[in-house]
Amino acid sequence: MARDVPSGYRAQTADEIFDGYWRWFRRLRLMEIVGVLGLAAVALIAGMLGYMVWYFVLLGLAILSAILFRSVVGQRERSITEIITQDCDSAKWRRFMELYDERNRRGFVRRRIACNIAAADYADGRYADAIRRLASISVGERSALWATILNTRALSLYWLGDQEAAEQALRSAQEFRDRFARSRAAKAAAASVCESVEQRLRPVETWDASDLALIVRRLERAQAHNERASWCLRLAEYELAHGDIEVARQLLDEKVLSPMTPAMRRSRDELLHDVEARMQGR
């Protein structure tokens, strides 16, 4: 597996990244407000003068400007997520989100920020903190955030050894998938969470060829480094449980997995310890 390209933010601190983002956002926001209001005002004048074609054209441009603003902001924010998805820098990601939270008062955005900080808790192996943070987030039963919340909750409970509560979180994710996910994207996200968590909650010794196929498929389709590294660790776990120690050792190579979050590194070290113990016991 080739090493992923690091993000464009690797050399910057979280404070530098946020300051640059916030200045850019405020300038763009001002431009959007001026542009939309200007186009809407001219459209209104055109309508009052009877130029209905121009009225609808200008009104459409005002709406298009608002949509374009949200699209550009979304692209910038997706690039910033590479702090965690490509660099696996949970400390920087946490700090950026804390700074973002200080500047936002919109309910949905703050709930999304809380989910992202909980993800940083999980990446750091602070599973109890992740669960407590997620419990404080209030969202509707049809919210698209549910898939993220239930995934982090179920896996955190698993690593804490609370199998019963983890299985309950899985059942909630399955219910969301079957009853409440409204869009095709939400259903796909929930389905992805359910198949991953369902496998994780079963003992690795019971994983069979279908589980191996799932791991390989998810590994091949992974869109970011942290996802690939996570599934690579699970593949190493499968190979070790099924006796292929050499393949497991290769999958756990630092060059294959780096960079890693603190939780990933602990999992890798534990698996590597098992690999070395079995090699010595041959």
Side-chain angles (χ1 to χ4, degrees), residues 147 173 176-177 185-196 218:
F176 174 74
R177 176 198 62 195
K187 286 183 180 295
S192 176
V193 166
C194 289
E195 69 174 4
S196 172
R218 295 292 292 268

Side-chain angles (χ1 to χ4, degrees), residues 105-213:
R105 294 295 177 267
R106 290 178 293 170
F108 175 77
V109 175
R110 299 200 75 178
R111 288 191 290 272
R112 182 161 56 86
I113 290 170
C115 284
N116 286 331
I117 297 177
D121 290 332
Y122 180 83
D124 284 338
R126 294 165 50 179
Y127 304 121
D129 290 341
I131 292 168
R132 281 193 292 268
R133 197 180 305 278
L134 292 171
S136 70
I137 303 172
S138 177
V139 295
E141 61 185 12
R142 295 184 180 275
S143 171
L145 287 175
W146 264 120
T148 300
I149 290 171
L150 292 169
N151 181 58
T152 305
R153 176 175 171 75
L155 293 176
S156 295
L157 288 164
Y158 166 79
W159 290 113
L160 287 173
D162 193 338
Q163 182 77 11
E164 183 177 349
E167 289 176 353
Q168 178 56 52
L170 172 60
R171 288 192 290 271
S172 297
Q174 291 167 336
E175 183 181 24
F176 174 74
R177 176 198 62 195
D178 298 336
R179 295 183 55 195
F180 302 121
R182 290 177 290 185
S183 67
R184 184 177 299 178
K187 286 183 180 295
S192 176
V193 166
C194 289
E195 69 174 4
S196 172
V197 172
E198 189 278 331
Q199 183 187 69
R200 179 73 280 174
L201 297 188
R202 286 187 285 112
V204 65
E205 293 79 11
T206 68
W207 294 358
D208 56 21
S210 64
D211 291 291
L212 175 60

Side-chain angles (χ1 to χ4, degrees), residues 217-260:
R217 173 167 54 83
R218 295 292 292 268
L219 185 57
E220 290 174 345
R221 295 182 182 180
Q223 298 297 307
H225 172 77
N226 68 334
E227 189 179 0
R228 275 186 282 274
S230 178
W231 283 102
C232 197
L233 283 167
R234 197 175 292 195
L235 180 57
E237 194 173 356
Y238 173 92
E239 298 292 358
L240 181 60
H242 290 77
D244 203 332
I245 301 172
E246 182 57 30
V247 172
R249 187 188 65 79
Q250 292 172 6
L251 289 166
L252 294 171
D253 192 295
E254 180 87 15
K255 295 178 181 177
V256 173
L257 295 171
S258 288
M260 289 175 272

